[in-house]
């Protein structure tokens, strides 16, 4: 958990002789904040009389008018093992603005412009403007979507587009930092009258909508494609970028989402054992073919593969969209083998989906993505599916952060 205190206070005065590494580090931060101060005045000269570096600390502060010793500050703070840039609205630490960015890769212009935006908003006692309102430095589809949702009285809690860092408040002056994973794509999380929702945009899959169920403690996927097309279910998760507008998405979340049933989630229960649980079914025990097929189908359907079902006779699974291959082996799948399987799927007029008990080589995973296929590894003791290529990873439900 982070406290709102700075890293490297800069107390090196009076040092003699060759500087230590700590002294060099402190001096580097000193000059860094001096350059940020100069850039702030260059870009926003109106703060010349009220912007300065706090004595003995690496804190760039703008003092707010008519408020003694209060202001908005830019500093480097530590959250657990992560150091981040933080812009802190000191007018109201608990309810005020708290913007964070990664220490590496964040431009100086972003930092001073964020400080300026927070100072203006705090002094005027107004909300932050877009995109700073959403902890973003640049406008994007997601900042626009967030604005559209807010206009429809939906509470937007977080946007993750250009900035993958967010502050999670913990008490009055503490916070943790969450860093979103690459496979999560861009997303926003919002709260309607009765549910939490995440709208995601994945590079391979497009738009996805997931809803959080408090009672079950799980995310469940909503079939956005079926709603758009007026169908019962979509065969594949995600809606391509050009098939839905931002205003349609905003209307869907604000007005339609509560009317639509999300996909059932996979609950291993007693018959499967709990995934990655040492008290679950022993490793040498295998599920029966029937239970294993049930577990696989349940997990695929919860991810949004709406036309997958259990097969009959020699066919383990059935799907109109996918040619689903079951492969039980211990050797790593190679690219030539995956190419051969994909060729058979193409001859059948379908996409490849592979369920295997083995791993997958990196070149094979790359080929699977190019072929728009999905590859999952299955655990024989629990039935749990684990993604082996990017498309399969993008189909995962969100991480549980509630």
């Amino acid at each position: 958990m982070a406290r709102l205190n700075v890293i490297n206070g800069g107390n090196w005065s009076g040092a003699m002789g060759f500087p230590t590494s700590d002294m060099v580090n402190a001096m580097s931060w000193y000059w860094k904040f001096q350059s940020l101060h100069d850039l702030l005045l260059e870009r926003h000269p109106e703060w010349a009389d009220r912007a300065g570096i706090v004595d003995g600390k690496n804190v760039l502060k703008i003092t707010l008018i008519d408020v003694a010793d209060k202001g908005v500050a830019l500093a480097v703070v530590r959250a657990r093992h992560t150091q981040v840039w933080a812009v802190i609205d000191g007018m109201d630490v608990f309810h005020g603005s708290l913007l964070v960015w990664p220490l590496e890769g964040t431009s100086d212009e972003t930092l001073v412009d964020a400080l300026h935006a927070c100072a203006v908003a705090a002094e005027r006692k107004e909300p932050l403007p877009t995109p700073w309102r959403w902890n973003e430095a640049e406008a994007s589809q997601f900042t626009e979507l967030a604005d559209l949702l807010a206009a429809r009285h939906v509470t937007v809690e977080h946007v993750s587009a250009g900035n993958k860092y967010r502050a999670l408040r913990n008490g009055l002056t503490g916070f943790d930092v969450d860093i979103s994973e690459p496979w999560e794509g861009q997303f926003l999380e919002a709260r309607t009258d009765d549910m939490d929702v995440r709208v995601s945009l994945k590079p391979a899959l497009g738009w996805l909508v997931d809803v959080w169920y408090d009672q079950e403690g799980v995310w469940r996927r909503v079939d956005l494609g079926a709603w758009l097309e007026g169908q019962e279910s979509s065969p594949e998760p995600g809606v391509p970028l050009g098939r839905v507008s931002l205003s349609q998405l905003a209307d869907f979340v604000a007005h339609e989402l509560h009317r639509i049933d999300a996909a059932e989630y996979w609950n291993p229960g007693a018959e499967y054992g709990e995934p990655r649980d040492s008290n679950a079914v022993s490793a040498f025990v295998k599920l029966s073919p029937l239970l294993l097929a049930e577990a696989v189908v349940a997990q695929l359907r919860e991810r949004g593969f709406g036309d997958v079902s259990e097969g009959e006779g020699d066919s383990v699974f059935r799907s109109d969209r996918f040619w689903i291959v079951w492969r039980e082996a211990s050797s790593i799948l190679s690219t030539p083998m995956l190419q051969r399987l994909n060729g058979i799927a193409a001859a059948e007029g379908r996409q490849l989906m592979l369920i295997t008990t083995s791993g997958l080589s990196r070149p094979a995973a790359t080929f699977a993505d190019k072929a728009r296929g999905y590859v999952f590894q299955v655990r024989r003791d629990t039935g749990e599916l684990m993604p082996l290529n990017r498309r399969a990873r993008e189909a995962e439900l969100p991480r549980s952060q509630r």
Side-chain angles (χ1 to χ4, degrees):
M1 181 177 75
R3 296 292 175 186
L4 301 187
N5 55 352
V6 299
I7 304 298
N8 297 320
N11 183 17
W12 68 89
S13 59
M16 302 283 292
F18 191 81
T20 65
S21 59
D22 287 344
M23 293 167 61
V24 171
N25 191 37
M27 292 176 69
S28 297
W29 280 115
Y30 171 80
W31 291 115
K32 176 67 175 180
F33 273 83
Q34 289 291 335
S35 68
L36 287 170
H37 175 262
D38 294 343
L39 183 61
L40 174 67
L41 298 189
E42 177 185 327
R43 294 173 71 86
H44 308 287
E46 63 271 27
W47 299 115
D49 296 334
R50 288 189 278 151
I53 298 173
V54 178
D55 291 340
K57 295 182 179 180
N58 290 324
V59 177
L60 178 55
K61 179 181 177 182
I62 295 177
T63 302
L64 301 180
I65 195 167
D66 297 331
V67 183
D69 199 33
K70 294 293 184 181
V72 175
L74 168 66
V76 176
V77 301
R78 184 185 297 277
R80 294 188 178 176
H81 303 297
T82 303
Q83 291 184 13
V84 296
W85 289 107
V87 177
I88 305 156
D89 178 357
M91 291 295 294
D92 185 346
V93 174
F94 190 71
H95 296 100
S97 304
L98 177 57
L99 311 182
V100 295
W101 279 273
L103 201 60
E104 301 293 332
T106 302
S107 71
D108 291 351
E109 289 78 9
T110 291
L111 297 173
V112 299
D113 288 351
L115 181 63
H116 163 74
C118 284
V120 171
E123 192 152 85
R124 295 177 180 175
K125 296 181 173 57
E126 296 175 351
L128 273 171
T130 299
W132 308 106
R133 179 182 183 183
W134 314 117
N135 202 174
E136 292 284 323
E138 296 180 352
S140 66
Q141 291 182 98
F142 273 88
T143 59
E144 184 179 348
L145 179 58
D147 287 339
L148 290 171
L149 288 170
R152 290 161 172 76
H153 307 291
V154 174
T155 301
V156 179
E157 297 178 340
H158 173 57
V159 172
S160 176
N163 183 14
K164 298 300 183 181
Y165 282 52
R166 65 166 161 171
L168 303 176
R169 293 191 179 275
N170 191 340
L172 182 61
T173 59
F175 68 95
D176 296 330
V177 171
D178 180 63
I179 306 172
S180 60
E181 299 287 347
W183 64 267
E184 295 181 279
Q186 301 179 62
F187 64 89
L188 67 75
E189 291 182 353
R191 176 76 186 177
T192 65
D193 291 338
D194 55 357
M195 65 178 65
D196 294 301
V197 58
R198 175 183 284 206
V199 180
S200 307
L201 180 59
K202 306 290 185 72
L205 300 185
W207 295 102
L208 296 165
V209 178
D210 299 296
V211 175
W212 175 260
Y213 284 74
D214 285 324
Q215 185 174 359
E216 299 157 351
V218 296
W219 288 98
R220 292 170 62 181
R221 182 145 295 158
V222 176
D223 197 336
L224 175 63
W227 174 76
L228 285 170
E229 303 294 336
Q231 301 173 348
E232 183 176 345
S233 63
S234 299
E236 189 174 5
V239 171
L241 184 61
R243 279 184 49 202
V244 59
S245 68
L246 295 179
S247 59
Q248 281 180 298
L249 277 171
D251 286 337
F252 177 73
V253 172
H255 307 304
E256 301 293 333
L257 193 57
H258 67 282
R259 304 176 185 176
I260 299 175
D261 292 331
E264 290 296 326
Y265 70 100
W266 179 59
N267 183 4
E271 64 255 79
Y272 304 128
E274 294 294 333
R276 298 189 180 96
D277 183 355
S278 60
N279 296 321
V281 181
S282 300
F284 61 84
V285 176
K286 294 183 179 181
L287 295 181
S288 69
L290 177 60
L291 287 179
L292 190 61
E294 287 179 358
V296 169
V297 168
Q299 290 170 87
L300 291 174
R301 292 185 69 87
E302 77 169 356
R303 287 162 168 82
F305 297 96
D307 80 335
V308 175
S309 61
E310 296 172 53
E312 298 177 354
D314 294 335
S315 178
V316 181
F317 307 107
R318 183 171 56 187
S319 169
D320 293 330
R321 169 69 64 88
F322 297 98
W323 190 66
I324 304 177
V325 179
W326 167 263
R327 180 181 182 273
E328 185 166 359
S330 57
S331 59
I332 298 294
L333 262 171
S334 65
T335 304
M337 184 176 296
L338 205 64
Q339 289 173 332
R340 182 179 63 82
L341 294 173
N342 186 65
I344 299 173
E348 293 284 335
R350 289 181 282 178
Q351 293 172 235
L352 175 66
M353 180 181 291
L354 176 63
I355 312 297
T356 178
T357 58
S358 68
L360 188 69
S361 70
R362 184 171 297 180
T366 300
F367 172 80
D369 287 324
K370 290 180 179 179
R372 299 184 65 246
Y374 297 85
V375 185
F376 297 93
Q377 185 180 37
V378 63
R379 286 184 52 167
R380 288 303 312 265
D381 57 337
T382 65
E384 180 187 10
L385 285 182
M386 294 163 285
L388 293 182
N389 70 320
R390 187 190 68 193
R391 291 183 69 88
R393 190 75 177 102
E394 287 188 9
E396 294 285 275
L397 294 169
R399 293 176 298 152
S400 295
Q401 289 290 335
R402 303 298 179 189

